[in-house]
């Protein structure tokens, strides 16, 4: 089941596509990223076949078909680590601990500021906190593994979209 990710909050129609396929025999679609002309630079971080399309779809839309572990790592690689300096390797591979640390980092950085920008970062921190809690629950067996993983990915996708808002993308 693909995970929907929104890399921008741009309302322009997508004109550029990057598609990557798995290296398995069936070459299944790994992900598809669609961006507009203005945000074409975002597609640069995604390896795959690049093409242009007639304007359509929404800029920043990504259908991610990879495994749970690959999608979580992608979130860390593309925005969480650069934003908060946290990654699972620093926490013995514990995704929940890394997400919790990222949540705390953002809370410490923006928690007491009373600005609109700080409120957006607080929303990112909150979504990361939700993802951390869900990952902890799934690891502890309080949530069915697959259902817990889907909920973690949904919380990360929400955080990513809010982060795109905060960065003005």
């Amino acid at each position: 089941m693909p995970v929907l990710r929104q890399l921008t909050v741009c309302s322009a129609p997508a004109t550029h596509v990057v598609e990557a396929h798995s290296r398995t025999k069936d070459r299944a679609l790994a992900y598809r990223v669609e961006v507009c002309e203005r945000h074409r630079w975002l597609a640069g971080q995604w390896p795959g076949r690049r093409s242009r399309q007639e304007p359509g779809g929404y800029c920043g839309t990504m259908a991610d078909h990879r495994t749970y572990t690959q999608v979580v790592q992608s979130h860390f690689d593309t925005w969480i680590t650069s934003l908060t300096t946290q990654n699972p390797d620093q926490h013995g591979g514990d995704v929940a601990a890394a997400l919790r640390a990222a949540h705390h980092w953002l809370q410490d950085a923006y928690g007491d500021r009373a600005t609109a920008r700080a409120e957006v970062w607080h929303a990112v921190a909150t979504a990361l906190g939700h993802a951390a809690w869900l990952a902890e629950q799934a690891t502890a067996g309080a949530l069915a593994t697959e259902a817990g993983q889907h909920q973690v990915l949904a919380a990360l996708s929400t955080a990513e979209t809010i982060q795109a808002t905060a960065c003005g993308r």
Side-chain angles (χ1 to χ4, degrees):
M1 170 187 261
V3 174
L4 178 63
R5 296 173 65 178
Q6 192 63 40
L7 309 177
T8 70
V9 290
C10 176
S11 60
T15 55
H16 296 270
V17 176
V18 177
E19 283 187 345
H21 293 268
S22 68
R23 296 181 192 263
T24 60
K25 184 178 179 180
D26 65 354
R27 303 277 300 148
L29 183 64
Y31 58 78
R32 178 183 170 95
V33 179
E34 298 183 33
V35 291
C36 71
E37 183 68 34
R38 189 177 109 214
H39 287 105
R40 187 172 63 175
W41 63 272
L42 282 173
Q45 65 186 329
W46 299 98
R49 185 178 59 84
R50 298 173 189 300
S51 61
R52 289 185 56 87
Q53 67 178 14
E54 290 298 316
Y58 295 101
C59 178
T61 301
M62 178 180 187
D64 203 332
H65 299 265
R66 297 174 293 177
T67 67
Y68 169 78
T69 303
Q70 290 171 316
V71 175
V72 169
Q73 188 61 51
S74 172
H75 278 283
F76 277 99
D77 292 345
T78 59
W79 70 276
I80 296 173
T81 300
S82 63
L83 178 63
T84 67
T85 72
Q86 300 300 313
N87 68 58
D89 294 339
Q90 294 169 295
H91 300 275
D94 186 340
V95 169
L99 290 170
R100 178 72 57 214
H103 164 80
H104 288 303
W105 189 96
L106 282 169
Q107 288 291 83
D108 291 345
Y110 294 98
D112 351 349
R113 299 184 190 172
T115 65
R117 186 170 171 85
E119 288 180 19
V120 173
W121 287 114
H122 177 72
V124 174
T126 299
L128 286 175
H130 290 170
W133 184 84
L134 290 161
E136 290 163 357
Q137 296 302 304
T139 301
L143 287 173
T145 303
E146 189 173 334
Q149 290 176 346
H150 285 295
Q151 290 181 44
V152 169
L153 295 178
L156 287 174
S157 293
T158 299
E160 183 174 43
T161 301
I162 298 168
Q163 186 263 353
T165 301
C167 292
R169 287 197 297 227

